[in-house]
Amino acid sequence: MFKIGAPLVAAALALSACGGTTGNGDSASGKACDLKIGFFGALTGDAANLGINIKNGAELAVNQYNEKNADCKVSLTSFDSQGDPAIAPGLAQKAVTDKKLVGIVGPAFSGESKAADPIFDKAGLNIISASATNPALSENGWKTFHRVLGNDATQGPAAAKYIKDVLKAQKVFVSDDTSEYGKGLADIVKKDLGSAVVASDQTAADGKQDDFSATVTKAKASGATAFFYGGYYSNASKLVKQLKDGGFTGTFVAGDGVKDDGFIKGAGAAAEGAVVTCPCLPPDKAPEFAAAYKKAYNSDPATYSAEAYDAANVFLAAIKAGKTSSADMTAFIASYSAQGVTKNVKFDAKGEPAEVSVWAYKVTGGKIVPDQEIK
């Protein structure tokens, strides 16, 4: 379902001088200059790697835009939520007071999205998340809400399908970290697996637990041949290591919150063979973007870097078109349809992407590599 080709990055970057007037910047020249795009997500804390991936993708789009528009630059400003829903509302209130901020790439996580998005919507500040996947987020009637990736109503059934059809597991243990994201995804997986779920439990929130022995005991006693975890990579790395050390021999499967090198670094050899699902693009499907990212950051693009790049380019296209007021930005995004590096970027009336696909990745040779698209 991805439509990848050589013109993609060029098309995404074919943004020349910004135009229109908004009352910001250089009114004499008719340009809306000195505008900002925000990144909202964790840059510190247990899930910081995922946030940094997203910030870098958005930053790359902004930097490439500025190379072509030196006389009318856009800046990226970051709001470090630490992935904490308790911190998110205060940061959102700070963001909406900045009159030069025309859009937010984020929030990155579902819990902080639930807490912050009502504030963005009330203020009319448009958001495009590259990673928040809880399905309920698009059911609130928020006019400024958008996400560039499929939600867990598509990822959950895909994970269940992989467990049933590829792993051939007839007994599955399901656990989650009680977060808005982790519990939501695990609940969908449980529903789709039905009677194949022989036992389940919950862990503490990410980074809040070190001893998973109770879960290991339950998983072994259940006779499960597959273990699904809804949560983030910090918990997952400790959990999978203790499962392996405790004698659990089934396949460990997790959602996109675990698709990070931090999972492998924390789990070591115990991560080998683990499966991670994600509604995100394998880097080799967008080679020009991957090359540009590696040149900029001396590392390969990671989870949701490409999605963030696409999200930022929607805002940059709006700036180029002079559509920078709240109402104009909302209307521009609603009618937007252009090829990005991950897909043809287009949103439905609820802010969901028109194109969705889910991939399974596998830890092989100490790296998270694409296994197959789950269809």
Side-chain angles (χ1 to χ4, degrees):
M1 290 193 289
F2 291 122
K3 302 175 183 177
I4 305 299
L8 296 188
V9 174
L13 298 177
L15 305 173
S16 54
C18 51
T21 57
T22 64
N24 292 315
D26 187 354
S27 59
S29 66
K31 293 178 180 178
C33 297
D34 299 322
L35 297 177
K36 300 177 183 177
I37 294 172
F39 160 77
F40 194 108
L43 294 176
T44 58
D46 290 301
N49 288 2
L50 293 171
I52 292 168
N53 300 341
I54 296 164
K55 191 206 81 148
N56 287 352
E59 184 178 68
L60 179 61
V62 170
N63 288 345
Q64 290 178 330
Y65 177 88
N66 286 339
E67 288 175 5
K68 296 178 178 292
N69 299 275
D71 63 334
C72 190
K73 292 185 176 182
V74 175
S75 60
L76 182 75
T77 186
S78 294
F79 299 89
D80 180 10
S81 66
Q82 301 175 47
D84 188 343
I87 293 174
L91 280 182
Q93 291 287 2
K94 178 181 178 182
V96 300
T97 63
D98 189 340
K99 300 306 180 184
K100 292 188 176 182
L101 188 64
V102 298
I104 294 279
V105 176
F109 304 132
S110 295
E112 66 185 13
S113 295
K114 182 179 180 180
D117 288 1
I119 297 167
F120 293 135
D121 190 66
K122 183 177 180 181
L125 183 60
N126 281 272
I127 60 174
I128 305 176
S129 180
S131 54
T133 54
N134 190 291
L137 292 174
S138 64
E139 301 296 327
N140 294 287
W142 297 327
K143 291 182 173 59
T144 62
F145 172 84
H146 316 84
R147 59 180 147 209
V148 78
L149 77 166
N151 65 39
D152 290 333
T154 55
Q155 183 180 190
K161 180 178 175 62
Y162 187 95
I163 290 169
K164 289 185 291 187
D165 295 351
V166 179
L167 299 181
K168 307 294 185 183
Q170 297 181 345
K171 294 183 177 182
V172 186
F173 189 96
V174 178
S175 181
D176 69 75
D177 67 351
T178 73
S179 70
E180 194 76 16
Y181 156 72
K183 184 179 184 303
L185 177 59
D187 284 349
I188 294 170
V189 171
K190 282 195 286 189
K191 180 180 178 182
D192 275 69
L193 286 174
S195 61
V197 179
V198 292
S200 63
D201 77 351
Q202 292 183 313
T203 70
D206 201 52
K208 304 296 184 183
Q209 184 172 340
D210 293 314
D211 182 2
F212 294 88
S213 58
T215 299
V216 172
T217 300
K218 291 178 186 177
K220 286 182 65 180
S222 73
T225 59
F227 185 113
F228 181 85
Y229 184 66
Y232 295 98
Y233 64 86
S234 178
N235 265 5
S237 64
K238 292 178 281 189
L239 173 57
V240 73
K241 190 174 189 304
Q242 291 178 38
L243 282 167
K244 292 291 177 71
D245 289 347
F248 181 77
T249 58
T251 303
F252 186 82
V253 184
D256 53 314
V258 177
K259 187 180 172 290
D260 187 87
D261 285 344
F263 171 62
I264 297 171
K265 290 176 182 176
E272 194 71 11
V275 174
V276 182
T277 62
C278 187
C280 59
L281 178 76
D284 62 353
K285 300 297 181 182
E288 292 185 45
F289 165 76
Y293 187 99
K294 188 159 190 174
K295 181 179 179 181
Y297 300 105
N298 197 32
S299 65
D300 293 324
T303 307
Y304 297 131
S305 297
E307 284 73 15
Y309 181 87
D310 278 349
N313 271 313
V314 177
F315 290 125
L316 293 168
I319 291 170
K320 180 204 172 200
K323 306 298 184 181
T324 56
S325 71
S326 175
D328 284 352
M329 180 67 77
T330 302
F332 183 89
I333 296 173
S335 63
Y336 186 86
S337 179
Q339 188 64 53
V341 298
T342 65
K343 58 175 68 71
N344 187 79
V345 180
K346 183 178 181 180
F347 305 95
D348 68 15
K350 292 183 178 181
E352 297 280 10
E355 288 187 20
V356 174
S357 63
V358 181
W359 285 75
Y361 296 79
K362 186 179 288 187
V363 179
T364 304
K367 294 182 179 180
I368 300 173
V369 300
D371 180 40
Q372 60 184 269
E373 184 178 357
I374 308 172
K375 297 181 179 180

